[in-house]
Amino acid sequence: MIREFDKKDLENFKANKNGDARDIMFVFNDPSYFKYTLDHGGPKAIICFRHNGDDDWAGFFLIAENFTARDGILVKRFIEETVRRYRPKRLWTASHINEDLNRWHKFLGMKIEDTLVIHGKKCAIWSIRWERKK
């Protein structure tokens, strides 16, 4: 089940090797971010996104150590349902470049748009775009 995020979700959340909640703690107090938790026998993923204007969204995921392929399908369906509801033209994220994260973003249907350096480390900007009929 994917539900509204509760800060208590972080108490039992153990991020996988690709994420660290300490890097993004500011988000949890920022009301401009929409925050959700995949709760499947405990918190398995934290999904965050925000509207940047012009139907552009920025988002990211914190994925738990015990995240499964089935959990990935639930997250992907949630994104698809949310996109149908809010109709953004673009969703993007910045992430470290490694094989696991590349596979994850490709699974979600994203493509590398660009690269940039964040805190001295090269990162990929992954995005997905939708054409909207007027």
Side-chain angles (χ1 to χ4, degrees):
M1 155 181 79
I2 296 181
R3 58 171 170 72
E4 292 285 327
F5 170 79
D6 183 319
K7 283 187 183 179
K8 291 179 183 176
D9 294 335
L10 294 172
E11 293 173 7
N12 298 315
F13 187 84
K14 292 188 180 184
N16 69 9
K17 65 183 179 185
N18 294 307
D20 188 340
R22 293 175 297 184
D23 292 338
I24 48 84
M25 289 304 289
F26 69 93
V27 167
F28 301 121
N29 293 316
D30 187 337
S32 70
Y33 280 87
F34 295 89
K35 299 170 277 291
Y36 299 93
T37 299
L38 168 61
D39 189 338
H40 198 201
K44 302 284 276 299
I46 298 171
I47 304 162
C48 303
F49 64 89
R50 74 178 193 156
H51 181 252
N52 290 329
D54 295 329
D55 295 324
D56 183 75
W57 289 3
F60 64 89
F61 310 93
L62 281 175
I63 303 296
E65 288 179 328
N66 59 347
F67 190 83
T68 66
R70 178 73 183 135
D71 296 326
I73 292 168
L74 294 173
V75 169
K76 185 174 181 174
R77 285 183 184 158
F78 175 78
I79 292 169
E80 291 167 350
E81 290 167 11
T82 304
V83 164
R84 276 194 298 275
R85 185 177 324 130
Y86 294 106
R87 301 177 51 81
K89 290 182 183 173
R90 176 176 173 252
L91 172 64
W92 67 274
T93 192
S95 78
H96 298 275
I97 299 171
N98 69 48
E99 189 175 320
D100 292 337
L101 292 172
N102 292 352
R103 242 188 352 266
W104 169 247
H105 291 104
K106 287 176 185 176
F107 168 74
L108 294 175
M110 301 177 116
K111 295 180 180 173
I112 292 181
E113 183 177 285
D114 203 352
T115 59
L116 68 114
V117 176
I118 301 174
H119 301 297
K121 194 162 187 179
K122 188 174 180 181
C123 294
I125 303 298
W126 289 88
S127 71
I128 187 168
R129 295 174 183 267
W130 299 271
E131 293 298 321
R132 297 293 180 218
K133 296 177 184 174
K134 295 189 178 197

